[in-house]
Amino acid sequence: MNWILLGPPGAGKGTQASKIVEKYSIPHISTGDIFRKNIKEGTPLGKKAQEYMNKGLLVPDDLVVEIAASRLLEDDCKKGFLLDGFPRTVYQAQKLDEFLASNGSKIDCVLDVAVDKNELMGRLIGRRVCKACGAGFHVTNMPPVKEGICDICGGQLYQRADDTEETVANRISVYEAETMPLIDYYEKAGNIKHIDGAKDLDAVFADIVSALGE
Ligand code: AMP
């Protein structure tokens, strides 16, 4: 169960990742979450990552690879893992393959969640996240019962600093230029499955489960 969730920003990777790790009891490894935690704690890594994230740019490859590799060495990854938001460049994918091979391991399945480009902007700028538990909402597609308040834990909802129109536009073009080539990379490796991310949340999850073969 060494899996990767691939897809543009706004494809719903975070939401699907939570459901996948719950069903299969494997750790969810999101490099974006690791950076956001470091930003919140004011660490040197957080300060460095923030410069890039706020502009919608990618954090430099070697830094991300180091962070991901050290996370993958933790004990809970021995039974499998779900990578979300990593790798994002062909270089990162090559480094990941080398790292796993040196540990006698490999990627078993890459889930490519595709969503039409025109959908992405609306999905991202309307997105709201709970400060306390990280649950995701959307101002029109999935509004909380009480505005600004999390339905699950009562925490405050906020808009991610990189969910503004200008930054989202950058993130989408960075995805097309840097990350889309990974589809071809994993196509050649023969371990990619394509998922239609335009369907509703539960239908996407059902397709993912059937792609993973239960
Ligand atoms: P995410 O939460 O996955 O949307 O990531 C938010 C931001 O963190 C991205 O826009 C990048 O600036 C940075 N980031 C996360 N993962 C990576 C990665 N694998 N490579 C480079 N930058 C990343």
PDB file of all heavy atoms in Angstrom, residues 9 13 30-33 35-36 49 52-53 56-61 64 84-89 92 127 160 162 171, ligand 1:
ATOM      1  N   PRO A   9      -4.119  21.447  -7.820  1.00  0.00           N
ATOM      2  CA  PRO A   9      -4.677  22.044  -6.606  1.00  0.00           C
ATOM      3  C   PRO A   9      -6.184  22.222  -6.818  1.00  0.00           C
ATOM      4  O   PRO A   9      -6.612  22.651  -7.892  1.00  0.00           O
ATOM      5  CB  PRO A   9      -3.967  23.408  -6.512  1.00  0.00           C
ATOM      6  CG  PRO A   9      -3.333  23.648  -7.839  1.00  0.00           C
ATOM      7  CD  PRO A   9      -3.138  22.322  -8.489  1.00  0.00           C
ATOM      8  N   LYS A  13      -7.817  16.435  -3.333  1.00  0.00           N
ATOM      9  CA  LYS A  13      -6.862  15.427  -2.833  1.00  0.00           C
ATOM     10  C   LYS A  13      -6.915  15.293  -1.312  1.00  0.00           C
ATOM     11  O   LYS A  13      -6.902  14.188  -0.787  1.00  0.00           O
ATOM     12  CB  LYS A  13      -5.421  15.776  -3.247  1.00  0.00           C
ATOM     13  CG  LYS A  13      -5.169  15.751  -4.745  1.00  0.00           C
ATOM     14  CD  LYS A  13      -3.697  15.816  -5.056  1.00  0.00           C
ATOM     15  CE  LYS A  13      -3.010  17.096  -4.591  1.00  0.00           C
ATOM     16  NZ  LYS A  13      -3.512  18.312  -5.242  1.00  0.00           N
ATOM     17  N   SER A  30       1.372  14.574   3.750  1.00  0.00           N
ATOM     18  CA  SER A  30       1.170  15.741   2.899  1.00  0.00           C
ATOM     19  C   SER A  30       2.315  16.710   3.160  1.00  0.00           C
ATOM     20  O   SER A  30       2.446  17.236   4.268  1.00  0.00           O
ATOM     21  CB  SER A  30      -0.180  16.389   3.242  1.00  0.00           C
ATOM     22  OG  SER A  30      -0.158  17.774   2.928  1.00  0.00           O
ATOM     23  N   THR A  31       3.139  16.940   2.146  1.00  0.00           N
ATOM     24  CA  THR A  31       4.261  17.872   2.328  1.00  0.00           C
ATOM     25  C   THR A  31       3.735  19.284   2.605  1.00  0.00           C
ATOM     26  O   THR A  31       4.316  20.018   3.396  1.00  0.00           O
ATOM     27  CB  THR A  31       5.203  17.839   1.104  1.00  0.00           C
ATOM     28  OG1 THR A  31       4.409  17.743  -0.085  1.00  0.00           O
ATOM     29  CG2 THR A  31       6.171  16.671   1.173  1.00  0.00           C
ATOM     30  N   GLY A  32       2.593  19.631   1.988  1.00  0.00           N
ATOM     31  CA  GLY A  32       1.983  20.946   2.250  1.00  0.00           C
ATOM     32  C   GLY A  32       1.625  21.083   3.723  1.00  0.00           C
ATOM     33  O   GLY A  32       1.889  22.120   4.349  1.00  0.00           O
ATOM     34  N   ASP A  33       1.044  20.021   4.315  1.00  0.00           N
ATOM     35  CA  ASP A  33       0.691  20.054   5.746  1.00  0.00           C
ATOM     36  C   ASP A  33       1.945  20.179   6.608  1.00  0.00           C
ATOM     37  O   ASP A  33       1.944  20.897   7.614  1.00  0.00           O
ATOM     38  CB  ASP A  33      -0.061  18.774   6.154  1.00  0.00           C
ATOM     39  CG  ASP A  33      -1.526  18.792   5.714  1.00  0.00           C
ATOM     40  OD1 ASP A  33      -1.996  19.851   5.263  1.00  0.00           O
ATOM     41  OD2 ASP A  33      -2.181  17.735   5.821  1.00  0.00           O
ATOM     42  N   PHE A  35       4.736  21.612   5.788  1.00  0.00           N
ATOM     43  CA  PHE A  35       5.200  23.008   5.699  1.00  0.00           C
ATOM     44  C   PHE A  35       4.310  23.943   6.519  1.00  0.00           C
ATOM     45  O   PHE A  35       4.806  24.807   7.233  1.00  0.00           O
ATOM     46  CB  PHE A  35       5.250  23.483   4.240  1.00  0.00           C
ATOM     47  CG  PHE A  35       6.336  22.815   3.436  1.00  0.00           C
ATOM     48  CD1 PHE A  35       6.091  22.343   2.158  1.00  0.00           C
ATOM     49  CD2 PHE A  35       7.608  22.653   3.956  1.00  0.00           C
ATOM     50  CE1 PHE A  35       7.090  21.720   1.418  1.00  0.00           C
ATOM     51  CE2 PHE A  35       8.616  22.040   3.230  1.00  0.00           C
ATOM     52  CZ  PHE A  35       8.348  21.567   1.951  1.00  0.00           C
ATOM     53  N   ARG A  36       2.976  23.761   6.425  1.00  0.00           N
ATOM     54  CA  ARG A  36       2.062  24.646   7.168  1.00  0.00           C
ATOM     55  C   ARG A  36       2.270  24.518   8.675  1.00  0.00           C
ATOM     56  O   ARG A  36       2.233  25.496   9.402  1.00  0.00           O
ATOM     57  CB  ARG A  36       0.593  24.363   6.784  1.00  0.00           C
ATOM     58  CG  ARG A  36       0.166  25.092   5.508  1.00  0.00           C
ATOM     59  CD  ARG A  36      -1.296  24.887   5.182  1.00  0.00           C
ATOM     60  NE  ARG A  36      -1.572  23.531   4.777  1.00  0.00           N
ATOM     61  CZ  ARG A  36      -1.395  23.051   3.542  1.00  0.00           C
ATOM     62  NH1 ARG A  36      -0.959  23.844   2.591  1.00  0.00           N
ATOM     63  NH2 ARG A  36      -1.661  21.795   3.256  1.00  0.00           N
ATOM     64  N   ALA A  49       9.986  27.869   3.596  1.00  0.00           N
ATOM     65  CA  ALA A  49       8.904  27.367   2.738  1.00  0.00           C
ATOM     66  C   ALA A  49       7.876  28.460   2.445  1.00  0.00           C
ATOM     67  O   ALA A  49       7.363  28.564   1.335  1.00  0.00           O
ATOM     68  CB  ALA A  49       8.232  26.172   3.414  1.00  0.00           C
ATOM     69  N   TYR A  52       8.026  30.720  -0.673  1.00  0.00           N
ATOM     70  CA  TYR A  52       7.585  30.134  -1.940  1.00  0.00           C
ATOM     71  C   TYR A  52       6.078  29.923  -1.941  1.00  0.00           C
ATOM     72  O   TYR A  52       5.399  30.229  -2.915  1.00  0.00           O
ATOM     73  CB  TYR A  52       8.286  28.784  -2.165  1.00  0.00           C
ATOM     74  CG  TYR A  52       9.779  28.923  -2.257  1.00  0.00           C
ATOM     75  CD1 TYR A  52      10.583  28.794  -1.124  1.00  0.00           C
ATOM     76  CD2 TYR A  52      10.396  29.215  -3.473  1.00  0.00           C
ATOM     77  CE1 TYR A  52      11.957  28.940  -1.194  1.00  0.00           C
ATOM     78  CE2 TYR A  52      11.774  29.358  -3.554  1.00  0.00           C
ATOM     79  CZ  TYR A  52      12.542  29.226  -2.406  1.00  0.00           C
ATOM     80  OH  TYR A  52      13.900  29.377  -2.495  1.00  0.00           O
ATOM     81  N   MET A  53       5.563  29.390  -0.838  1.00  0.00           N
ATOM     82  CA  MET A  53       4.141  29.036  -0.784  1.00  0.00           C
ATOM     83  C   MET A  53       3.232  30.240  -0.995  1.00  0.00           C
ATOM     84  O   MET A  53       2.236  30.150  -1.704  1.00  0.00           O
ATOM     85  CB  MET A  53       3.823  28.371   0.560  1.00  0.00           C
ATOM     86  CG  MET A  53       4.429  26.991   0.668  1.00  0.00           C
ATOM     87  SD  MET A  53       4.324  26.299   2.316  1.00  0.00           S
ATOM     88  CE  MET A  53       2.617  25.831   2.429  1.00  0.00           C
ATOM     89  N   GLY A  56       2.703  30.915  -4.490  1.00  0.00           N
ATOM     90  CA  GLY A  56       2.176  29.822  -5.319  1.00  0.00           C
ATOM     91  C   GLY A  56       3.278  29.072  -6.034  1.00  0.00           C
ATOM     92  O   GLY A  56       3.021  28.340  -6.990  1.00  0.00           O
ATOM     93  N   LEU A  57       4.526  29.267  -5.579  1.00  0.00           N
ATOM     94  CA  LEU A  57       5.666  28.590  -6.226  1.00  0.00           C
ATOM     95  C   LEU A  57       6.021  27.311  -5.480  1.00  0.00           C
ATOM     96  O   LEU A  57       5.650  27.141  -4.309  1.00  0.00           O
ATOM     97  CB  LEU A  57       6.890  29.522  -6.230  1.00  0.00           C
ATOM     98  CG  LEU A  57       6.710  30.847  -6.951  1.00  0.00           C
ATOM     99  CD1 LEU A  57       7.956  31.720  -6.760  1.00  0.00           C
ATOM    100  CD2 LEU A  57       6.458  30.606  -8.438  1.00  0.00           C
ATOM    101  N   LEU A  58       6.778  26.440  -6.129  1.00  0.00           N
ATOM    102  CA  LEU A  58       7.206  25.218  -5.468  1.00  0.00           C
ATOM    103  C   LEU A  58       8.392  25.484  -4.554  1.00  0.00           C
ATOM    104  O   LEU A  58       9.288  26.262  -4.893  1.00  0.00           O
ATOM    105  CB  LEU A  58       7.606  24.150  -6.497  1.00  0.00           C
ATOM    106  CG  LEU A  58       6.496  23.602  -7.384  1.00  0.00           C
ATOM    107  CD1 LEU A  58       7.036  22.460  -8.257  1.00  0.00           C
ATOM    108  CD2 LEU A  58       5.311  23.116  -6.570  1.00  0.00           C
ATOM    109  N   VAL A  59       8.387  24.834  -3.414  1.00  0.00           N
ATOM    110  CA  VAL A  59       9.526  24.856  -2.509  1.00  0.00           C
ATOM    111  C   VAL A  59      10.648  24.074  -3.225  1.00  0.00           C
ATOM    112  O   VAL A  59      10.355  23.087  -3.923  1.00  0.00           O
ATOM    113  CB  VAL A  59       9.119  24.197  -1.166  1.00  0.00           C
ATOM    114  CG1 VAL A  59      10.293  24.032  -0.244  1.00  0.00           C
ATOM    115  CG2 VAL A  59       8.000  24.998  -0.513  1.00  0.00           C
ATOM    116  N   PRO A  60      11.929  24.494  -3.112  1.00  0.00           N
ATOM    117  CA  PRO A  60      12.994  23.812  -3.869  1.00  0.00           C
ATOM    118  C   PRO A  60      13.025  22.290  -3.636  1.00  0.00           C
ATOM    119  O   PRO A  60      12.841  21.818  -2.515  1.00  0.00           O
ATOM    120  CB  PRO A  60      14.275  24.473  -3.341  1.00  0.00           C
ATOM    121  CG  PRO A  60      13.831  25.817  -2.860  1.00  0.00           C
ATOM    122  CD  PRO A  60      12.430  25.650  -2.361  1.00  0.00           C
ATOM    123  N   ASP A  61      13.271  21.581  -4.749  1.00  0.00           N
ATOM    124  CA  ASP A  61      13.227  20.115  -4.752  1.00  0.00           C
ATOM    125  C   ASP A  61      14.000  19.447  -3.614  1.00  0.00           C
ATOM    126  O   ASP A  61      13.473  18.572  -2.930  1.00  0.00           O
ATOM    127  CB  ASP A  61      13.813  19.591  -6.076  1.00  0.00           C
ATOM    128  CG  ASP A  61      12.788  19.624  -7.205  1.00  0.00           C
ATOM    129  OD1 ASP A  61      11.575  19.681  -6.913  1.00  0.00           O
ATOM    130  OD2 ASP A  61      13.209  19.572  -8.377  1.00  0.00           O
ATOM    131  N   VAL A  64      12.355  19.600  -0.230  1.00  0.00           N
ATOM    132  CA  VAL A  64      11.143  18.778  -0.130  1.00  0.00           C
ATOM    133  C   VAL A  64      11.501  17.293  -0.062  1.00  0.00           C
ATOM    134  O   VAL A  64      10.928  16.537   0.727  1.00  0.00           O
ATOM    135  CB  VAL A  64      10.204  19.006  -1.346  1.00  0.00           C
ATOM    136  CG1 VAL A  64       8.862  18.346  -1.119  1.00  0.00           C
ATOM    137  CG2 VAL A  64      10.005  20.469  -1.614  1.00  0.00           C
ATOM    138  N   ASP A  84       0.546  12.756  -0.525  1.00  0.00           N
ATOM    139  CA  ASP A  84      -0.404  13.729  -1.073  1.00  0.00           C
ATOM    140  C   ASP A  84       0.364  15.037  -1.290  1.00  0.00           C
ATOM    141  O   ASP A  84       0.847  15.634  -0.335  1.00  0.00           O
ATOM    142  CB  ASP A  84      -1.558  13.869  -0.052  1.00  0.00           C
ATOM    143  CG  ASP A  84      -2.390  15.124  -0.215  1.00  0.00           C
ATOM    144  OD1 ASP A  84      -2.301  15.770  -1.264  1.00  0.00           O
ATOM    145  OD2 ASP A  84      -3.145  15.451   0.724  1.00  0.00           O
ATOM    146  N   GLY A  85       0.505  15.435  -2.545  1.00  0.00           N
ATOM    147  CA  GLY A  85       1.249  16.675  -2.832  1.00  0.00           C
ATOM    148  C   GLY A  85       2.737  16.447  -2.978  1.00  0.00           C
ATOM    149  O   GLY A  85       3.508  17.394  -3.125  1.00  0.00           O
ATOM    150  N   PHE A  86       3.153  15.223  -2.960  1.00  0.00           N
ATOM    151  CA  PHE A  86       4.553  14.847  -3.196  1.00  0.00           C
ATOM    152  C   PHE A  86       4.567  13.514  -3.918  1.00  0.00           C
ATOM    153  O   PHE A  86       3.843  12.604  -3.473  1.00  0.00           O
ATOM    154  CB  PHE A  86       5.329  14.714  -1.880  1.00  0.00           C
ATOM    155  CG  PHE A  86       6.756  14.265  -2.093  1.00  0.00           C
ATOM    156  CD1 PHE A  86       7.753  15.190  -2.377  1.00  0.00           C
ATOM    157  CD2 PHE A  86       7.093  12.909  -2.048  1.00  0.00           C
ATOM    158  CE1 PHE A  86       9.065  14.773  -2.603  1.00  0.00           C
ATOM    159  CE2 PHE A  86       8.403  12.488  -2.277  1.00  0.00           C
ATOM    160  CZ  PHE A  86       9.382  13.425  -2.554  1.00  0.00           C
ATOM    161  N   PRO A  87       5.332  13.308  -4.978  1.00  0.00           N
ATOM    162  CA  PRO A  87       6.203  14.282  -5.634  1.00  0.00           C
ATOM    163  C   PRO A  87       5.413  15.267  -6.504  1.00  0.00           C
ATOM    164  O   PRO A  87       4.287  15.003  -6.883  1.00  0.00           O
ATOM    165  CB  PRO A  87       7.093  13.383  -6.508  1.00  0.00           C
ATOM    166  CG  PRO A  87       6.250  12.196  -6.806  1.00  0.00           C
ATOM    167  CD  PRO A  87       5.383  11.970  -5.613  1.00  0.00           C
ATOM    168  N   ARG A  88       6.060  16.387  -6.817  1.00  0.00           N
ATOM    169  CA  ARG A  88       5.420  17.405  -7.643  1.00  0.00           C
ATOM    170  C   ARG A  88       6.263  17.746  -8.868  1.00  0.00           C
ATOM    171  O   ARG A  88       5.836  18.575  -9.680  1.00  0.00           O
ATOM    172  CB  ARG A  88       5.233  18.674  -6.813  1.00  0.00           C
ATOM    173  CG  ARG A  88       3.803  18.917  -6.324  1.00  0.00           C
ATOM    174  CD  ARG A  88       3.831  20.185  -5.523  1.00  0.00           C
ATOM    175  NE  ARG A  88       2.575  20.851  -5.365  1.00  0.00           N
ATOM    176  CZ  ARG A  88       1.795  20.713  -4.289  1.00  0.00           C
ATOM    177  NH1 ARG A  88       2.105  19.874  -3.337  1.00  0.00           N
ATOM    178  NH2 ARG A  88       0.704  21.438  -4.188  1.00  0.00           N
ATOM    179  N   THR A  89       7.446  17.151  -8.969  1.00  0.00           N
ATOM    180  CA  THR A  89       8.287  17.345 -10.160  1.00  0.00           C
ATOM    181  C   THR A  89       8.873  15.980 -10.522  1.00  0.00           C
ATOM    182  O   THR A  89       8.938  15.084  -9.669  1.00  0.00           O
ATOM    183  CB  THR A  89       9.463  18.310  -9.893  1.00  0.00           C
ATOM    184  OG1 THR A  89      10.325  17.723  -8.897  1.00  0.00           O
ATOM    185  CG2 THR A  89       9.025  19.670  -9.425  1.00  0.00           C
ATOM    186  N   GLN A  92      11.704  15.099  -8.243  1.00  0.00           N
ATOM    187  CA  GLN A  92      11.263  14.563  -6.940  1.00  0.00           C
ATOM    188  C   GLN A  92      10.842  13.095  -7.084  1.00  0.00           C
ATOM    189  O   GLN A  92      11.134  12.264  -6.216  1.00  0.00           O
ATOM    190  CB  GLN A  92      10.091  15.369  -6.377  1.00  0.00           C
ATOM    191  CG  GLN A  92      10.446  16.775  -5.935  1.00  0.00           C
ATOM    192  CD  GLN A  92       9.230  17.558  -5.417  1.00  0.00           C
ATOM    193  OE1 GLN A  92       8.178  16.997  -5.104  1.00  0.00           O
ATOM    194  NE2 GLN A  92       9.378  18.876  -5.342  1.00  0.00           N
ATOM    195  N   ARG A 127     -12.693  27.887  -0.836  1.00  0.00           N
ATOM    196  CA  ARG A 127     -12.356  26.875   0.179  1.00  0.00           C
ATOM    197  C   ARG A 127     -12.115  27.509   1.551  1.00  0.00           C
ATOM    198  O   ARG A 127     -11.504  28.568   1.665  1.00  0.00           O
ATOM    199  CB  ARG A 127     -11.082  26.156  -0.284  1.00  0.00           C
ATOM    200  CG  ARG A 127     -10.589  25.107   0.666  1.00  0.00           C
ATOM    201  CD  ARG A 127      -9.690  24.145  -0.031  1.00  0.00           C
ATOM    202  NE  ARG A 127      -8.341  24.676  -0.250  1.00  0.00           N
ATOM    203  CZ  ARG A 127      -7.341  23.929  -0.697  1.00  0.00           C
ATOM    204  NH1 ARG A 127      -7.531  22.665  -1.012  1.00  0.00           N
ATOM    205  NH2 ARG A 127      -6.154  24.470  -0.880  1.00  0.00           N
ATOM    206  N   ARG A 160      -6.981  29.713   3.443  1.00  0.00           N
ATOM    207  CA  ARG A 160      -5.531  29.533   3.342  1.00  0.00           C
ATOM    208  C   ARG A 160      -4.891  30.723   2.640  1.00  0.00           C
ATOM    209  O   ARG A 160      -5.456  31.269   1.696  1.00  0.00           O
ATOM    210  CB  ARG A 160      -5.224  28.254   2.543  1.00  0.00           C
ATOM    211  CG  ARG A 160      -5.039  27.039   3.423  1.00  0.00           C
ATOM    212  CD  ARG A 160      -4.917  25.771   2.641  1.00  0.00           C
ATOM    213  NE  ARG A 160      -3.922  25.805   1.560  1.00  0.00           N
ATOM    214  CZ  ARG A 160      -3.524  24.718   0.891  1.00  0.00           C
ATOM    215  NH1 ARG A 160      -4.017  23.530   1.186  1.00  0.00           N
ATOM    216  NH2 ARG A 160      -2.635  24.823  -0.078  1.00  0.00           N
ATOM    217  N   ASP A 162      -2.658  30.865   0.579  1.00  0.00           N
ATOM    218  CA  ASP A 162      -2.375  30.645  -0.843  1.00  0.00           C
ATOM    219  C   ASP A 162      -3.646  30.302  -1.641  1.00  0.00           C
ATOM    220  O   ASP A 162      -3.561  29.848  -2.764  1.00  0.00           O
ATOM    221  CB  ASP A 162      -1.284  29.586  -1.040  1.00  0.00           C
ATOM    222  CG  ASP A 162      -1.641  28.229  -0.431  1.00  0.00           C
ATOM    223  OD1 ASP A 162      -2.654  28.139   0.290  1.00  0.00           O
ATOM    224  OD2 ASP A 162      -0.891  27.269  -0.679  1.00  0.00           O
ATOM    225  N   ARG A 171      -0.441  28.695  -8.924  1.00  0.00           N
ATOM    226  CA  ARG A 171      -0.350  27.275  -8.544  1.00  0.00           C
ATOM    227  C   ARG A 171      -0.836  26.386  -9.685  1.00  0.00           C
ATOM    228  O   ARG A 171      -0.278  25.316  -9.916  1.00  0.00           O
ATOM    229  CB  ARG A 171      -1.164  27.015  -7.265  1.00  0.00           C
ATOM    230  CG  ARG A 171      -0.479  27.611  -6.032  1.00  0.00           C
ATOM    231  CD  ARG A 171      -1.417  27.730  -4.849  1.00  0.00           C
ATOM    232  NE  ARG A 171      -1.902  26.463  -4.351  1.00  0.00           N
ATOM    233  CZ  ARG A 171      -3.042  26.320  -3.666  1.00  0.00           C
ATOM    234  NH1 ARG A 171      -3.822  27.362  -3.423  1.00  0.00           N
ATOM    235  NH2 ARG A 171      -3.400  25.146  -3.231  1.00  0.00           N
TER     236      ARG A 171
HETATM  237  P1  AMP B   1      -0.508  21.733  -0.902  1.00  0.00           P
HETATM  238  O1  AMP B   1      -1.037  21.792   0.480  1.00  0.00           O
HETATM  239  O2  AMP B   1      -0.134  20.331  -1.321  1.00  0.00           O
HETATM  240  O3  AMP B   1      -1.401  22.408  -1.910  1.00  0.00           O
HETATM  241  O4  AMP B   1       0.874  22.549  -0.906  1.00  0.00           O
HETATM  242  C1  AMP B   1       0.904  23.923  -0.613  1.00  0.00           C
HETATM  243  C2  AMP B   1       2.221  24.520  -1.077  1.00  0.00           C
HETATM  244  O5  AMP B   1       3.315  23.881  -0.403  1.00  0.00           O
HETATM  245  C3  AMP B   1       2.533  24.347  -2.565  1.00  0.00           C
HETATM  246  O6  AMP B   1       1.898  25.331  -3.362  1.00  0.00           O
HETATM  247  C4  AMP B   1       4.057  24.500  -2.558  1.00  0.00           C
HETATM  248  O7  AMP B   1       4.438  25.850  -2.401  1.00  0.00           O
HETATM  249  C5  AMP B   1       4.443  23.768  -1.268  1.00  0.00           C
HETATM  250  N1  AMP B   1       4.678  22.334  -1.524  1.00  0.00           N
HETATM  251  C6  AMP B   1       3.981  21.281  -1.000  1.00  0.00           C
HETATM  252  N2  AMP B   1       4.447  20.111  -1.475  1.00  0.00           N
HETATM  253  C7  AMP B   1       5.461  20.426  -2.318  1.00  0.00           C
HETATM  254  C8  AMP B   1       6.320  19.659  -3.157  1.00  0.00           C
HETATM  255  N3  AMP B   1       6.225  18.309  -3.223  1.00  0.00           N
HETATM  256  N4  AMP B   1       7.252  20.318  -3.883  1.00  0.00           N
HETATM  257  C9  AMP B   1       7.369  21.657  -3.832  1.00  0.00           C
HETATM  258  N5  AMP B   1       6.574  22.445  -3.097  1.00  0.00           N
HETATM  259  C10 AMP B   1       5.618  21.842  -2.350  1.00  0.00           C
END
